[in-house]
Structures are given as structure tokens and as C-alpha cells.
Amino acid sequence: SGCKSEFDDAKAAACSFGGHTIVRAGFGSFDISGVEFHQMGQGGNLGHYATHFHMVKDTSYTNATIRDSSMWDSNTRHLSVHGTIGVSFERNVGYLSSGHAFMFGEDGTETDNAYCYNLAIGVQSAGDLNYAYYVSSDTREHYIATGGMTSRVRKPI
């Protein structure tokens, strides 16, 4: 729509308001493959990311997977995992995020998650230090990042 190039604050705010996918405890199965997430997330609204596993706890009873998908021109992060154990995020491409592209763990309780062969391109600053991959927990991973700020990977000390 071209609204991101406008200087009107109200119009710019409307441009950072897209849909969001949130996964919470109690689902039967969550298996996404080959999906395009375009202009998702809600800039300025905490927890409203393109895709967000939120306080699901243990997913060992079912499938919890996003694979072979693309997330681009996101208004916030492409993916955030918070309070969730046992999800797989594999072979996805994220292009142009606002803030961290992929946030794998918000409070360090996120364990036994697989983040394999994902690509982050073009992380845009959201005001503080931003990473292509923000990792605060035990994971299995293979990270690929390119362009500007996306060379950063933050892992726990």
C-alpha cells in the first residue's frame, strides 16, 4: 500500500498493525508448512508477533511445528517462543523484521526446542540492540543470518 513511506504518524501507526498468530496451551496439533506470513505482527503491542508460542508448557503430547515457511516485512519479530517446551521451527526464511527476527526464549524456561536451518535477513532496529536470533535457553540450532544487524546471535552465558 506504500503507507510505510508516508510521514503521517497516524497512517504510519496503522501500517504497523497486522495479524498475529498465537499458540496457547491445550491445542490438539499445530503443524504449519509452506505458509507465507506477510506484514504480520502489531508494532508496539507486546506479545503480538507474526507467530508466537505463548506459555504452552510441554508440547510432547502433540506436534508443534512451523517449517518451510516465509515471514517477511514483519511489523515485529517473526517468531517468539515463551514458556514453551518441545517446538520445532525448521527451514524457514525471515526477511525484514522490526526488532529481533527470531526470539527463542523470553525467560529461559524454554527447553528442548529445535530451531534448525532458518535464515534471517534484514533485521531492522526497534530502538535497542537487536539480533537475528535471540536465544535465552537450551536449544538445538543451526543459525544462518545475513545483512546489517542480522550477523548478531545472542546466546546465554
Side-chain angles (χ1 to χ4, degrees):
S1 67
C3 61
K4 288 190 177 183
S5 65
E6 297 290 332
F7 294 99
D8 180 336
D9 287 342
K11 193 171 185 181
C15 289
S16 65
F17 191 87
H20 67 105
T21 305
I22 188 163
V23 182
R24 296 184 186 264
F27 62 90
S29 179
F30 189 86
D31 188 11
I32 289 183
S33 181
V35 173
E36 176 184 24
F37 296 89
H38 180 230
Q39 294 182 332
M40 298 284 285
Q42 298 175 2
N45 284 334
L46 187 64
H48 292 77
Y49 313 120
T51 52
H52 185 192
F53 287 87
H54 184 74
M55 305 303 287
V56 175
K57 306 293 186 211
D58 188 1
T59 66
S60 62
Y61 68 91
T62 188
N63 291 331
T65 304
I66 299 176
R67 72 170 62 88
D68 302 323
S69 295
S70 66
M71 292 117 185
W72 63 286
D73 200 13
S74 294
N75 299 312
T76 57
R77 300 175 182 126
H78 300 308
L79 171 78
S80 183
V81 176
H82 181 205
T84 302
I85 299 167
V87 299
S88 294
F89 192 67
E90 305 166 358
R91 300 182 309 267
N92 299 288
V93 175
Y95 175 69
L96 294 180
S97 67
S98 179
H100 306 307
F102 301 112
M103 187 164 186
F104 303 140
E106 291 186 32
D107 57 20
T109 62
E110 303 81 4
T111 60
D112 198 28
N113 296 308
Y115 310 112
C116 302
Y117 306 106
N118 298 292
L119 171 64
I121 305 167
V123 176
Q124 301 172 35
S125 179
D128 56 357
L129 190 58
N130 297 283
Y131 296 93
Y133 302 92
Y134 185 98
V135 181
S136 66
S137 55
D138 172 38
T139 63
R140 297 177 307 243
E141 70 279 319
H142 302 278
Y143 304 113
I144 305 168
T146 184
M149 303 175 102
T150 58
S151 60
R152 296 184 175 130
V153 174
R154 186 230 179 248
K155 294 197 69 155
I157 298 173

